[in-house]
Amino acid sequence: MTLDGLGPLVPARFRSDTPVVPVVRLSGIIGAVTRWRPGLTLASQAKVLDKAFGVRNARAVALLINSPGGSPAQSHLIFKRIRELAAEKKLPVLAFVEDVGASGGYMLSCAADEIFADPFSV
């Protein structure tokens, strides 16, 4: 008995022929802002990035960036971690700048192999 004709009936997450692209949202000020309103730091994003790059059958990882920037050190640490994981897993990284990708937000988008931005993004 062959299962070739059942492909469309099997949910996409169980098929290996369906492209998978995990998405990581990097939104907000980079660096520690306040205790109740934390910003983006390597410590807060490490698990998210590890999980995204660890997705089985992933063809790429997408970064949705909406950040005015902030801490140069934290921007660089997150940038380096993205590049390390991309090299380790041999996955391309795609950055999508939403409203703002300024300063450190731009540095995060530069961690990608390709950057996509609306003409009206800052």
Side-chain angles (χ1 to χ4, degrees):
M1 179 174 166
T2 178
L3 300 176
D4 293 334
L6 296 178
L9 301 175
V10 177
R13 68 176 181 234
F14 297 117
R15 296 193 325 242
S16 62
D17 63 334
T18 303
V20 176
V21 179
V23 177
V24 176
R25 180 170 288 282
L26 299 169
S27 183
I29 295 173
I30 301 169
V33 181
T34 67
R35 172 187 259 182
W36 295 279
R37 189 169 174 232
L40 296 171
T41 62
L42 179 60
S44 70
Q45 299 303 306
K47 284 185 184 178
V48 176
L49 292 170
D50 290 342
K51 187 174 180 181
F53 279 93
V55 170
R56 198 175 52 167
N57 298 327
R59 303 252 178 104
V61 173
L63 306 174
L64 295 183
I65 297 169
N66 195 8
S67 174
S71 166
Q74 288 299 319
S75 301
H76 188 248
L77 290 170
I78 297 169
F79 169 92
K80 280 189 353 184
R81 185 64 183 147
I82 292 168
R83 292 311 317 152
E84 288 168 359
L85 289 167
E88 177 185 320
K89 303 292 184 175
K90 296 180 177 63
L91 286 174
V93 179
L94 309 172
F96 296 87
V97 178
E98 293 180 320
D99 295 321
V100 180
S103 186
Y106 179 67
M107 179 177 259
L108 296 180
S109 63
C110 287
D113 299 298
E114 269 188 89
I115 301 171
F116 299 90
D118 187 272
F120 291 99
S121 297
V122 176

